[in-house]
Amino acid sequence: MKMFVVFTVCMSLVVLASAQADQKAKNCNEVRTAYSSKGFNVNDVPNKGVHGNHLKVCPQGFSCCTLEMEEKLSQQSRTDLKAPVHQLSSNLQNTFTQRTRHFDQFFRELLSNAEKSLNDMFVRTYGLMYVKNAELFKHFFSELRRYYSHGSNAVNLDDMLADFWTDLLERMFRLVNVQHEFSDSYMECVSRHMEQLKPFGDVPRKLRLQLTRSFIAVRTFTHGLALMPEVVGKVSTVSSSPSCVRAAMKMLYCPYCSGQVALKPCKNYCLNVMRGCLANQADLDTEWNNFLDAMLGLAERLEGPFNFESVMDPIDVKISDAIMNMQENSIQVSMKVFQGCGQPKLNEAFRTRRSPKDSGFPGRFRPYSPDARPTTAAGTSLDRLLTDVKKKLKHAKKFWSTLPDTVCVGERIAIGNECWNGTAKSRYESVVIGNGLANQVSNPDVEVDITKPDMVIRRQIAVLKEMTSRLKAAYIGTDISFVNEDAGSGEESGSGCDSPPCDSDGDIYFSTPAPAKPRVIKIQADKQPSSGTRLAPFSLALAVTALLLALLTPHMR
């Protein structure tokens, strides 16, 4: 009898608890509160649960949702699905937009500081003689800026540097030989043989090597930084296909309809939904990572041999060294020119005023002390900028393939078995599928048409691949846009002289014929000694041999 009483009491408690739970389940007060917090009309929600035969997405048992509520929550799920991806991609965009601005400002300020430093130094060193010829140096820096802004479409860097030194030679040759008159045709003869004369020593060759590879590197690197936010902006939109919206509704808001507003989706369930809706973005990852590796490689070059700061900061000293070299060797250079191009006429005006002030280039180089040089651009150094951006580049690797994992964390999911599996509060049994479009054929939660890739994303994959090629070319000192620009043009830059007299112009007075300029800005490793060495007898013998071969070749044919 006692046992019967205990059994009866226990059963009564179970029935009471069940009744209370059923009553709570039929009460949709929590759903009303949650639904109105999304901005919807609370009157849409029934006071008590109804049968869900009318629902198109959520389970059709007991439900606190009407068909109208399901449609509104489906639209909300579209927004909620995109929100975390938008936040993550916006953070990435902002990071590299800011770094692009910092680098661009830094490089432009370095150019401005270098120009100011050269101007201040040359005014003090060469005085009026520099002021009269200052436009040559202004044009030099203007062309460097134009190349940085527009690339080889606007400026052929090799040709521009060659023209600078040629123009400087012509002006200085007149100054150191002020007692003579020189016609334009005479100066053309001088210019054609600049390579043989080497009036500025080894400075033009070294500076060309340093400037071209560092400018190619910084310009390509800055373009790479600028490309990142552009690509992210174009590919970060989550698919709004009907199957993705349906999957998002089922994952995010069907718990509402079942009266379990606090229930979060299972982690693996969330992963499958996000991998399905971000399948195309995941396919971007391989080329994205290749691009980032190329950016990191070029960053190391900028820290080392292609350091733009170490090239631009002392450029005034280097150009002044070249001018000093021309001064010190002006007699030998002039004698070679007079032999090769003919004896020029004496300047009649000079005969009447043979003052020491009228002859020669008066300046002598007096370098600034370190504290008189301009401060570093942007208040920082290139090394600090690169250290920061390398860290950000490394952090951005695998961004697209790990995006579902980054979304399905924290408060967005529930750990363990007490989670929403798409139909009920229970363990999620399906296997987590892989990333990428091809793997979605077996996705249990999102229907993805793997035969129709996102063409916007495919285009960005091609853009990244092209940029990676440019970065790798810049790594070895080659401007790939310059190659493409000239491909198929059929033009040759040559030596700057297209007329026949250029070939027959008194080469017996100079060591070697003028070489043709290369078409591609490609910088090889500097294998020559750092000091400016003069032509050794052995080299002279080789040069003479080459000259004889060049002269005999037409007869041998």
Side-chain angles (χ1 to χ4, degrees), residues 188-190 192-193 340-341 500-510:
E188 286 177 10
C189 177
V190 176
R192 284 199 295 270
H193 297 287
C341 298
C502 193
D503 296 329
S504 58
D505 193 15
D507 286 328
I508 59 173
Y509 300 108
F510 298 94

Side-chain angles (χ1 to χ4, degrees), residues 140-156:
F140 172 74
F141 283 101
S142 174
E143 290 295 275
L144 289 180
R145 285 192 187 87
R146 206 155 66 92
Y147 175 79
Y148 175 72
S149 298
H150 305 290
S152 53
N153 288 322
V155 179
N156 182 317

Side-chain angles (χ1 to χ4, degrees), residues 325-373:
N325 193 83
M326 172 67 182
Q327 281 186 269
E328 292 166 3
N329 297 284
S330 60
I331 295 175
Q332 296 93 317
V333 170
S334 296
M335 287 178 63
K336 282 186 178 182
V337 170
F338 295 162
Q339 285 181 316
C341 298
Q343 189 69 28
K345 294 188 300 182
L346 281 174
N347 189 332
E348 293 297 330
F350 183 79
R351 293 173 184 267
T352 62
R353 49 174 178 80
R354 296 193 177 186
S355 167
K357 295 181 180 179
D358 295 327
S359 59
F361 197 70
R364 276 294 175 261
F365 170 54
R366 298 189 302 274
Y368 280 164
S369 59
D371 59 345
R373 299 188 66 81

Side-chain angles (χ1 to χ4, degrees), residues 322-452:
I323 293 172
M324 291 302 108
N325 193 83
M326 172 67 182
Q327 281 186 269
E328 292 166 3
N329 297 284
S330 60
I331 295 175
Q332 296 93 317
V333 170
S334 296
M335 287 178 63
K336 282 186 178 182
V337 170
F338 295 162
Q339 285 181 316
C341 298
Q343 189 69 28
K345 294 188 300 182
L346 281 174
N347 189 332
E348 293 297 330
F350 183 79
R351 293 173 184 267
T352 62
R353 49 174 178 80
R354 296 193 177 186
S355 167
K357 295 181 180 179
D358 295 327
S359 59
F361 197 70
R364 276 294 175 261
F365 170 54
R366 298 189 302 274
Y368 280 164
S369 59
D371 59 345
R373 299 188 66 81
T375 56
T376 306
T380 183
S381 70
L382 182 59
D383 288 339
R384 286 176 59 189
L385 283 172
L386 287 169
T387 298
D388 170 67
V389 83
K390 281 167 63 180
K391 188 185 300 182
K392 302 299 182 185
L393 289 169
K394 290 174 183 176
H395 184 71
K397 289 188 73 172
K398 297 184 179 180
F399 177 81
W400 303 106
S401 60
T402 60
L403 194 51
D405 301 78
T406 310
V407 171
C408 297
V409 293
E411 295 181 354
R412 298 191 189 100
I413 53 102
I415 304 297
N417 298 333
E418 297 293 304
C419 56
W420 177 254
N421 66 5
T423 57
K425 181 180 180 180
S426 183
R427 181 178 179 179
Y428 182 73
E429 300 289 349
S430 299
V431 176
V432 179
I433 54 114
N435 282 301
L437 195 61
N439 287 315
Q440 304 314 307
V441 68
S442 57
N443 194 316
D445 298 295
V446 187
E447 294 180 10
V448 181
D449 186 350
I450 64 171
T451 65
K452 294 181 179 179

